[in-house]
Every structure is written in C-alpha cells, then in structure tokens.
Amino acid sequence: MKLGSVAREKTRSGFLAEVRRRSGTNPADCYQCGKCTAGCPLTFAGDLDPARVMRLVQLGQRDAVLQSRTIWLCASCETCTTRCPQEVDLASVMDALRIMAREAGLTQAAREVAIANAGLLGSVKSRGRVHEMMLVLQQNLRTLHLFRDAEKGPVLMLKGKMDPLGHKRGARDQVRRLFENVARMEAAERAASTTPRCACSDEGGEA
Amino acid sequence: MARVGVFICHCGENIARTVDCARVAEYAATLPGVAHAVDYRYMCSDPGQRLIETAIREHGLTGVVVASCSPHMHEVTFRRTVARAGLNPFLCEMANIREQCSWVHEDREAATAKACELVRLMVEKVKWNTALEPIHVPVTRKALVIGGGIAGIQAALDIANGGREVILVEKGPSIGGHMAQLSETFPTLDCSQCIMTPRMVEVKNHPNITLYTYAEVEKVDGYIGNFAVTIRKKARCVDEALCTGCGECQSKCPQGKLKTSVIPNEFDLGLSRRPAIYVPFPQAVPNVPVIDKEHCRYFQDGKCGVCQKVCPAKAVDFTQTDQVVTEQVGAIVVATGYDVMSSGEYGEYGGGRYPDVIDGLQFERLLSASGPTGGEVKRPSDGKVPETVVFIACAGSRDRSHGVPYCSKICCMYTAKHAMLYKHKVHHGQAYVFYMDIRAGGKNYDEFVRRAIEEEGAVYLRGRVSRLYQKDGQLIVKGADTLSGQPVEIAADLVVLATAIQARPGSDALAQMLKVPYDGYGFLSEAHPKLRPVETNSAGVYLAGACQAPKDIPETVAQASAAASKVLGLFSMEQMEREPTVSVVNERTCIGCFDCERVCPFGAIEHREIRDRRGNLLKVVSHVNEGVCAGCGACATTCRSGSIELRGYTDEQVFAQIAAVGV
Ligand SMILES: Cc1cc2nc3c(=O)[nH]c(=O)nc-3n(C[C@H](O)[C@H](O)[C@H](O)COP(=O)(O)OP(=O)(O)OC[C@H]3O[C@@H](n4cnc5c(N)ncnc54)[C@H](O)[C@@H]3O)c2cc1C
Ligand code: SF4
Ligand code: SF4
C-alpha cells in the first residue's frame, strides 16, 4: 500500500463516498474493533479480513479492495452486520464492492466465483429458473476442471435436487421483466454517478 | 435630562476587525441624551474600566452603555465598574456587538451600521432604566446530601467539618455504595473497605451529621437557601435505638439456612444468598438489620417470628411503619452514583445464560475477603479455581447497537486491576484481556496497565470478541487480534465482562424532582462542562460523583469536596444576595386568574389574600416569590391585565428599544 495515496483526500473520500452511497451504510463509522473478523466464518480463507476491507475502504485503497478475494468469498451470512457495535452493514458493503469490482472488470482474484456468478444469472435469465446440471457442466468446462464434484451428481439426482432435463420452467416472463428493470435502474444509477455530487448529502444512497 | 455614556470596545481584533469602532463612537456621540462616547482596545481591562469610572465622574453620567461582548461574559464586570463610580449597577447596559455582530458578519460597512443600531437601541433603553437594589434572601445553613456512596460521604464530611449541619439520606440499609463492594483499588491496590470504613464510621459519629438510611427523598419544595424536603424513612422493623448489632436474628432466620435460602444477596450481586432479616455486609453503617418483607415468612403468611423471639435486645418490631419527616435545608448535593449494565444484555457473550460469565462487580466480590468465597477466586458454576480467565473490555460501552456510544472511562483501569489481582491469587493462572483501546489517562495509570502486561503476564489482545459458547465445561471465546490480523480462540474457565457504567434507573425522576437537567443516558447535567462542573442549572443543587458521569474514586472524591466547598461558600452568609431582575405584580390591577402560575417554570407564583381592615377577604392576587423567580418573564408576557412587570425589562424599556429600531 502506498501511503502517499492515503493523503489524497479527493481519491480517498471519492471511493469512500461511492461505497457509502451504493451500500447505504457508512464505512467511516468502523472503528476497527475486529468483531466482524472474529465472527466471520470465512476469515481463514480470504486474503483480507472484513475489518481490513473496511480499513482499506476508509483509506481509499480502491484497487486493493476491488482485487481482493475476500469480497468474493463472502458468503453474505451477515454475521458481521449483526454483530457490528457501530451498526455498519458490512454485508451490504461487500455486495457493493462486488458490483463495483465487476463493473471495473477486476474479477481475476476470484475468477471461478465470478464465472459461477455469471453462469447462474445467465441460466436464470434464459430459463426463468436455474438449470443445475447445465450450470455445473458449464462451470467445469470454463474452469477446466472437467470432473470436479462429478461423484456428487448421482446422489443429487436421486434426491431430486438435480434433473438432467432441468426442472419445470419458471415464470420466465416475470423473471425477464425483473432483469429488464434491474438493467434500467443500473443505467440510471450510472448516469447519476457521473454527475458531480456532494458526498455528504447522500446518506443511505439514492432516494 | 439623561446623560448617557457609551463605551465601544475593540475586543482586540475580535470586534475591530469587522466593525469600525471609532465610527460607532462618533455616531453614538450624536445620539440625543448621549453625553460622552469613546472607543478603546480592551474595555474589560483595568485601564478600560478606569476610563468608564472617570467618565462617570467627569461627565456626571446617569446611564452607561458598554458595546462589547455578550452580557454572559462581562455584565458583572461592568456593573461593578459603574458601582465603583457611585452609579447604581443596574443603570449599566451592554450592547452585544461581538457575538451578535462582528463574529457573524463579514461586510465591514454593514457590520458597522448594525453596531450603530445596536448601540442606539441600548441607549434608548438605558434612559428608562431605574436604580434597583439587590434582593436579600435568608439562607438555612444546613445541607441535604442524597446518596451515601463515597461521593455523598465525602461531601457530608467536608460540609460537617466546615461547621455546618448535614442530613445524609441513603436509599439502602447501609452507606458505602459501590466502593464498599470493591476489593482493592487501582492504581495503588489499597484495600477498598480498609480506606472506606473509617469514613463511614466518622459519618455515623459526627455531631453535625444526621444519617437517614433506608430512606428516600420524596419531595423538594422551595429554592436556593430555603428548600423544604420530605424524606420517607422506610420501616426496618428493627428499632435502631435498641439493636446492638449482635446478629442473632440473622443467624436464626429460617429463610437464611444455607440450602433452603433462595434470596439473592444484592451486595454480592447474586453470588450468595442471605436471610430475610439481614445486614448487607459486616462493616455496614449503621450495623442494624432490616427485614426484607417480601421474603419474610412472618409478613408473607403470619408464621415464624423467630427473630423477634431470639433478639436479646427486643429490637425486632413487626409493627413499625414508614416515617415521613420534613427538613429545612439551604443546599442539596446529589450523589446517587451509578449502576453497571447487566451482563444479561449481551446475548452473544452468553450473559445471563452461562453462570461463569460474570460482570466486573461480581469479580470484585470474588476477589474480596468479605465476598462469598472469602477472597478465593472460584467460579460460580462448580467452585473450581479458574486457570484461564478472559476479560472483555467495552462489553457494552462504545457500542451503539447497545445504546451506549460513550466510553465508561474506568473499565480499562479496573480490568487491568482484575488481571493483576487474579494473578496474585492464582499464580499459575493465565489472564487474557480483549480490548479496543487502552484509556489510562491519570497519575500512575498507564504505568499500572503496563505493569499488568509486562510484569504480571496478562496477554492483551486487541479486538472485540464476536461470540462465546459453552463446551465441555469451558467457555470458548472467539475473537480476533487485529494487531497480528489473526482470529483467536480461547478455552476459558471464567469470563469477566467489563459492562458499561450507566445512570441509576430512576435518576430521571429524581432529576425532575430537583429540576436538574439530565442527558439522554440519565446522567445529571452540570451547569457548564468546564467552568461550573459541580453546579447545576437549578440554583442551590450541586452534583458529586458518578451520578454526573462515569468516574473513578479519586475524581469522585475531588468533585464531592468541590461541591462541599460550594455549599460552604453559600453558607458563609446569613443572607444571600440575588439579582433584582425579577417579576413584580401590581396587586391593584391583578384579577387573580393565575395564568401566570400555570406558565411559571420555577413555581415562583404564590397566592396572596387581600383583606380589608376588618379582615374580610377582598380578593386573592398573584404574588411573586423573589427568592424563586428566575426572571424569565414568562408571567409578564402572559398576564392578560398587564399587571406583571419584569424589573429591568419593563414595557417602557422594551418599547423604547423597539421604537428605536430602523430610525
Ligand atoms: C467493577 C468496578 C471496579 C472499580 N474499581 C475501582 C478502583 O479500583 N478504583 C477506583 O478509583 N474506582 C473504581 N471503580 C469506580 C467506583 O466504584 C466509583 O468511582 C465510585 O463508587 C463512585 O461513587 P459514588 O458515590 O458516586 O456512587 P455509588 O458508589 O454508586 O454510590 C451511590 C449511593 O447513592 C445511593 N442512592 C442511589 N440513589 C439514591 C436515592 N434516590 N436516594 C438516596 N440514595 C440513593 C446508593 O444506594 C449508593 O449508596 C470501580 C467500579 C466498578 C464497576
Ligand atoms: S465490527 Fe464494525 S466497527 Fe468493528 S471492525 Fe468490523 S466493521 Fe469495524
Ligand atoms: S420473622 Fe422473617 S425475618 Fe424474622 S426470622 Fe422469620 S423469616 Fe426471618
């Protein structure tokens, strides 16, 4: 971490304000007690612990945060959010950071997670419901682990959790409309974030 | 014909930077009735004040306007200045051209014009000012101290040693408060009870102190120098005059027989049981038992009465009733202390569910020779000596999600003390302390904490614990050490939570009774955070100890002595001088509607009967008690017949000011 960049107020507060706006919670409230880290079930696996993620956000370390594996490993269990004495909603921050990382194309650190994410959404978008079998096959093809978890397939099929033909189709039209709505909202959001705004006035995100 | 002098102050650069003071003086000199006008760099300085005095004499001034800072700062100064020159102090007024002008404006022209206007208004007012004489109110030179912790004890002793009478009212059966529960005290580790009990005994024996224990203040009437307080002495059911403190009753009470007893001992915070007739602790003052009627068999089903039978002094009296006494006092010291947040409020730390998760005060009892284990550290569940103890600081403090964003101030210190004392008692034991920051500001305080770490082997881990749970008779504590960036898991035998220091429940009701403001957490508010730390905004009521904010013993004692010195200062006079800017009622025009009584926030309005010579009642009119009136003017603006006037702010004065606006 280059400490010189910490001092540059504009970059620092710009990133902080963006995370604040998009997560609806203020990362500056974090006083680094570490309670989130202590409770996070995935601290052992990540490269940054949750409290460090918050610290780097405070210091405006955009690249370090968006390129970290931790934000992708986060299981959204919300233990951190529940326990934080400062009432920081860390799970939302993690969410916002994932979105920002995808927008910036910074998903290399957790390529497989990003692929899984994209595959899942693609499947839902086209069929209105996940096709588990296809999802797994695609994932294994794209990550070049052809037979990973193959032994689990029969068990899942026997229990009716996975169907080679795909489950009955979901409410495809409604789901498609959902995707369209989200796309529209994201476009509006992008338009709004390009217009300069005062960082202090956007508590809780867009009204 | 009025001869007003106007004195414009530069306040160094504070005013002169934005206001052209010389021009204001020139302008003032042209106003009708102004005989003299000058500007000067510092009007409040000695030469500045001399300037005013000389001008009053030389020009025969009949009124003075000082245009400078807020009257809050220097009204007293300038009133004294004009008094020295032989003018009545209430013929001096201040025009505030600093806070209300130079500090809030940037445009020099406009600010100068506004300063001229403010001066003109005050000149018009002062022409209508009349000489006023201070009011003298008699002072009852006897104090009431509420709360018998170390704060109340210290304040009572200081006032009593200063030669004045004191009434000390304590809610519990004995004085002593929390300090009596402590083991040894930081930063010197002297035994709490050893340093405390001599003072408790002194209170009991002091000829100037009347001690009411097991008593509460029910009502407070009156005002500074003249309060009337109603005190309820709850029935102990033991005659204090007859009881010899032999303890026979306690040992025979069937409710106290070890196995069957279910009554938690409050003094040991539930770590032991007590009988229904009891003295809270061996060194209690007074050493007279009370009967806890809720748990006494005699009061519950009319049976038993053993204590009465065994008492050799015939002191047990089931028929005793509450007594209500009224006392006249001149000043009140509030010293009602604090409470600790219950560890039950921390679900994720198992508080209230796991017997071996206790709070700091409970740990004090485990360390104390007079405690349930005789000073041996044994955990509550199975009496085992804990070999690993985890202390969790800030368990409740600095925690918005638990409604306590403030720092409780003393926990860092007592946690270090606990880690140290534990090591002194269990040599092979290991203490871990989870903390966020160490706050050890104070003489020898940081050295004390360092000693716990460097010499007594306590392992300090920087991080908040996330969760703890029971497993195989131990408590698994999951936390993190943010300094090494590692998650930490410790299997502990005992966990001690440094729970937050909170205001006592009911402190808000007490504050309302005394008309003392209090903050959002229930702590009583001082009149000024820096310059009037022991006074309150309710004249004659002072604060001491942890009822004002979390504090340790040295701070508590210092504040108690400070409150006592304020009381003694007040009692140094037989009569008290008050400002004469109070309301007066015109009894001829008052129609007795008493709207004024309804709006007066200070309860200063009284009813006065007007009778003819033969004693026939003609009418009842309003009368303002000058001792109570704070001069807020609410009554004057409410009175429909225009019968109330606030001295110093009469209709003539205010109308003259309004008429001068924008001329
Ligand atoms: C675990 C722990 C360890 C500590 N260790 C230390 C230490 O080592 N060194 C140190 O300097 N400080 C220590 N302290 C702090 C110390 O306890 C306080 O500074 C001190 O007790 C404050 O005294 P007080 O008289 O203001 O309040 P309290 O001790 O709370 O006394 C208040 C008294 O007022 C009475 N009262 C309450 N309401 C009423 C009412 N309405 N009418 C009449 N009476 C009333 C109460 O019954 C009580 O007797 C410790 C605190 C804790 C929690
Ligand atoms: S629990 Fe909250 S305050 Fe503590 S380190 Fe995590 S985000 Fe910061
Ligand atoms: S009468 Fe009540 S206090 Fe007395 S011994 Fe019996 S139970 Fe105990």
Side-chain angles (χ1 to χ4, degrees):
Chain A
M1 186 172 77
K2 297 184 296 294
L3 270 178
S5 59
V6 175
R8 280 185 229 294
E9 180 57 24
K10 223 168 139 197
T11 352
R12 190 185 76 84
S13 57
F15 181 53
L16 184 62
E18 188 178 355
V19 177
R20 178 175 176 179
R21 182 171 56 80
R22 302 185 103 176
S23 64
T25 191
N26 188 0
D29 286 351
C30 168
Y31 56 21
Q32 290 292 302
C33 70
K35 197 176 181 186
C36 48
T37 300
C40 175
L42 292 159
T43 297
F44 74 94
D47 48 356
L48 296 174
D49 62 54
R52 292 251 160 115
V53 171
M54 300 305 289
R55 183 70 186 136
L56 293 180
V57 170
Q58 291 174 346
L59 296 178
Q61 300 296 307
R62 186 188 186 96
D63 291 347
V65 173
L66 296 188
Q67 286 171 11
S68 82
R69 280 164 55 80
T70 297
I71 59 174
W72 294 103
L73 290 174
C74 163
S76 297
C77 70
E78 301 196 351
T79 307
C80 49
T81 299
T82 319
R83 303 263 167 84
C84 174
Q86 288 289 87
E87 300 178 327
V88 176
D89 183 353
L90 276 91
S92 290
V93 171
M94 296 291 184
D95 242 348
L97 292 173
R98 279 190 292 268
I99 296 170
M100 288 163 74
R102 257 195 58 179
E103 283 173 5
L106 296 175
T107 51
Q108 298 86 333
R111 215 179 116 250
E112 295 188 10
V113 185
I115 290 174
N117 244 327
L120 182 104
L121 282 175
S123 173
V124 175
K125 192 173 176 183
S126 65
R127 303 171 56 90
R129 182 165 180 174
V130 172
H131 188 316
E132 288 93 353
M133 190 85 155
M134 290 283 279
L135 182 64
V136 175
L137 287 175
Q138 264 178 20
Q139 182 79 9
N140 285 3
L141 270 173
R142 289 197 186 143
T143 57
L144 299 176
H145 294 291
L146 291 185
F147 297 103
R148 183 156 66 185
D149 294 333
E151 77 285 358
K152 294 187 185 119
V155 185
L156 288 170
M157 275 188 250
L158 271 175
K159 295 215 163 179
K161 302 280 177 202
M162 207 157 88
D163 187 340
L165 304 173
H167 294 284
K168 221 166 63 195
R169 296 198 160 194
R172 211 162 93 183
D173 291 346
Q174 275 154 293
V175 173
R176 204 193 45 238
R177 251 177 285 139
L178 266 174
F179 272 90
E180 285 166 8
N181 274 341
V182 170
R184 227 189 348 268
M185 281 161 71
E186 280 180 347
E189 169 112 337
R190 265 194 299 281
S193 62
T194 49
T195 34
R197 44 168 51 246
C198 168
C200 58
S201 63
D202 51 16
E203 171 106 75
E206 310 272 73
Chain B
M1 178 59 193
R3 294 182 61 76
V4 180
V6 181
F7 302 86
I8 320 285
C9 180
H10 294 207
C11 193
E13 279 286 284
N14 274 305
I15 296 172
R17 190 184 303 126
T18 355
V19 171
D20 186 340
C21 296
R23 241 166 66 208
V24 179
E26 269 167 41
Y27 168 77
T30 66
L31 292 170
V34 172
H36 180 68
V38 285
D39 59 307
Y40 186 71
R41 218 170 135 69
Y42 288 110
M43 233 19 128
C44 60
S45 67
D46 261 358
Q49 292 187 48
R50 266 202 303 280
L51 201 80
I52 300 175
E53 282 175 57
T54 324
I56 293 174
R57 293 202 187 90
E58 282 180 2
H59 298 274
L61 300 180
T62 59
V64 164
V65 172
V66 184
S68 56
C69 50
S70 155
H72 275 297
M73 304 292 302
H74 274 307
E75 191 172 67
V76 176
T77 315
F78 294 123
R79 279 192 179 156
R80 286 201 185 124
T81 311
V82 303
R84 277 200 301 275
L87 204 61
N88 182 284
F90 293 89
L91 297 175
C92 169
E93 290 284 353
M94 289 180 74
N96 183 349
I97 59 166
R98 192 177 75 176
E99 284 85 343
Q100 293 177 1
C101 189
S102 71
W103 275 0
V104 289
H105 299 302
E106 279 166 9
D107 183 333
R108 194 171 165 83
E109 272 309 305
T112 305
K114 179 171 171 183
C116 290
E117 179 133 1
L118 289 170
V119 167
R120 186 175 66 234
L121 262 56
M122 272 308 165
V123 168
E124 288 310 316
K125 180 183 181 196
V126 85
K127 289 183 194 165
W128 291 93
N129 278 22
T130 48
L132 299 177
E133 294 307 326
I135 300 167
H136 293 278
V137 198
V139 176
T140 309
R141 294 197 274 183
K142 187 178 190 180
L144 168 72
V145 176
I146 309 176
I150 186 60
I153 290 174
Q154 182 72 33
L157 285 175
D158 283 355
I159 298 169
N161 288 335
R164 301 296 170 198
E165 279 181 65
V166 182
I167 295 162
L168 177 57
V169 175
E170 165 59 48
K171 190 164 73 174
S174 167
I175 54 172
H178 284 112
M179 191 174 161
Q181 295 174 299
L182 305 182
S183 52
E184 293 167 29
T185 51
F186 64 75
T188 43
L189 293 189
D190 31 18
C191 151
S192 189
Q193 288 188 333
C194 313
I195 56 176
M196 172 129 205
T197 43
R199 305 239 166 150
M200 291 165 58
V201 174
E202 202 184 333
V203 165
K204 175 99 177 72
N205 297 335
H206 206 295
N208 281 345
I209 300 180
T210 310
L211 177 60
Y212 292 134
T213 51
Y214 215 46
E216 266 178 272
V217 175
E218 266 190 352
K219 196 159 142 245
V220 176
D221 285 321
Y223 51 94
I224 180 168
N226 299 275
F227 294 105
V229 289
T230 311
I231 301 162
R232 174 176 295 269
K233 291 179 65 186
K234 291 171 278 184
R236 275 182 183 261
C237 297
V238 175
D239 189 326
E240 283 192 51
L242 295 179
C243 174
T244 57
C246 70
E248 196 61 17
C249 53
Q250 294 198 69
S251 58
K252 297 284 158 47
C253 172
Q255 295 294 71
K257 293 276 179 287
L258 270 172
K259 294 243 165 46
T260 53
S261 172
V262 289
I263 318 171
N265 183 343
E266 299 87 351
F267 190 75
D268 284 340
L269 298 128
L271 292 178
S272 67
R273 310 271 165 250
R274 63 159 171 78
I277 184 164
Y278 70 105
V279 178
F281 55 103
Q283 306 92 324
V285 170
N287 188 16
V288 177
V290 288
I291 293 186
D292 166 5
K293 300 200 189 70
E294 221 180 289
H295 293 103
C296 165
R297 287 202 190 166
Y298 181 86
F299 280 98
Q300 292 310 316
D301 47 26
K303 301 201 188 92
C304 191
V306 166
C307 50
Q308 193 172 44
K309 287 180 206 116
V310 299
C311 175
K314 300 271 164 283
V316 177
D317 175 6
F318 295 120
T319 61
Q320 225 181 46
T321 49
D322 289 6
Q323 269 181 306
V324 177
V325 289
T326 318
E327 294 273 3
Q328 303 294 323
V329 296
I332 300 175
V333 177
V334 192
T336 49
Y338 68 96
D339 250 342
V340 291
M341 181 192 262
S342 142
S343 50
E345 288 193 27
Y346 252 92
E348 66 261 47
Y349 294 170
R353 268 181 296 141
Y354 305 146
D356 293 329
V357 176
I358 59 175
D359 66 38
L361 267 183
Q362 288 176 313
F363 195 63
E364 292 283 345
R365 296 311 299 146
L366 289 186
L367 292 169
S368 169
S370 72
T373 54
E376 272 187 76
V377 182
K378 290 181 182 165
R379 64 182 199 174
S381 64
D382 54 7
K384 189 182 143 210
V385 175
E387 288 176 8
T388 308
V389 180
V390 167
F391 296 92
I392 303 180
C394 289
S397 313
R398 304 170 68 200
D399 190 337
R400 278 186 206 170
S401 64
H402 282 84
V404 180
Y406 57 83
C407 164
S408 292
K409 198 171 183 185
I410 58 172
C411 325
C412 284
M413 289 306 294
Y414 78 61
T415 298
K417 173 183 81 174
H418 286 172
M420 223 184 251
L421 292 178
Y422 165 65
K423 190 75 184 169
H424 291 180
K425 303 224 169 195
V426 184
H427 301 305
H428 61 288
Q430 179 62 56
Y432 295 94
V433 178
F434 281 97
Y435 73 102
M436 289 207 289
D437 304 283
I438 298 175
R439 298 185 170 173
K443 196 169 168 179
N444 292 324
Y445 280 20
D446 199 55
E447 295 91 319
F448 183 81
V449 177
R450 290 310 309 171
R451 199 171 112 206
I453 299 170
E454 292 165 13
E455 285 165 37
E456 313 274 2
V459 173
Y460 269 62
L461 298 157
R462 196 209 165 274
R464 241 181 209 274
V465 168
S466 167
R467 186 164 94 89
L468 62 84
Y469 54 90
Q470 248 175 342
K471 197 176 156 195
D472 306 331
Q474 282 197 305
L475 294 155
I476 311 297
V477 183
K478 297 188 84 141
D481 175 46
T482 61
L483 298 180
S484 61
Q486 302 290 322
V488 181
E489 192 177 297
I490 298 170
D493 301 313
L494 181 70
V495 172
V496 182
L497 306 181
T499 55
I501 301 290
Q502 291 184 302
R504 282 197 187 260
S507 62
D508 45 354
L510 180 79
Q512 284 163 16
M513 181 167 74
L514 294 163
K515 301 190 182 73
V516 171
Y518 52 100
D519 66 19
Y521 310 107
F523 289 112
L524 307 186
S525 302
E526 64 282 12
H528 189 284
K530 288 158 228 164
L531 301 178
R532 298 176 69 206
V534 300
E535 294 100 320
T536 66
N537 278 334
S538 186
V541 182
Y542 306 93
L543 303 179
C547 63
Q548 181 253 346
K551 331 191 146 60
D552 57 17
I553 298 164
E555 254 192 290
T556 297
V557 171
Q559 197 188 14
S561 289
S565 88
K566 290 284 166 193
V567 172
L568 289 173
L570 173 68
F571 289 178
S572 64
M573 309 163 281
E574 268 175 45
Q575 288 200 321
M576 200 179 54
E577 250 189 29
R578 293 209 65 209
E579 289 227 340
T581 45
V582 293
S583 287
V584 270
V585 178
N586 181 341
E587 291 178 357
R588 282 202 218 157
T589 53
C590 170
I591 54 167
C593 68
F594 293 105
D595 276 349
C596 47
E597 190 177 11
R598 279 184 280 281
V599 297
C600 175
F602 302 93
I605 305 286
E606 295 169 353
H607 294 214
R608 171 174 280 184
E609 293 178 349
I610 307 283
R611 293 176 183 274
D612 66 11
R613 246 177 262 141
R614 262 174 265 125
N616 299 319
L617 183 65
L618 297 178
K619 64 174 181 174
V620 183
V621 295
S622 158
H623 177 77
V624 176
N625 183 328
E626 295 188 333
V628 187
C629 175
C632 73
C635 56
T637 52
T638 305
C639 180
R640 59 181 84 180
S641 60
S643 307
I644 304 190
E645 197 171 76
L646 181 59
R647 285 202 195 114
Y649 299 88
T650 60
D651 284 355
E652 287 90 345
Q653 288 172 301
V654 176
F655 286 143
Q657 278 184 285
I658 296 172
V661 174
V663 176

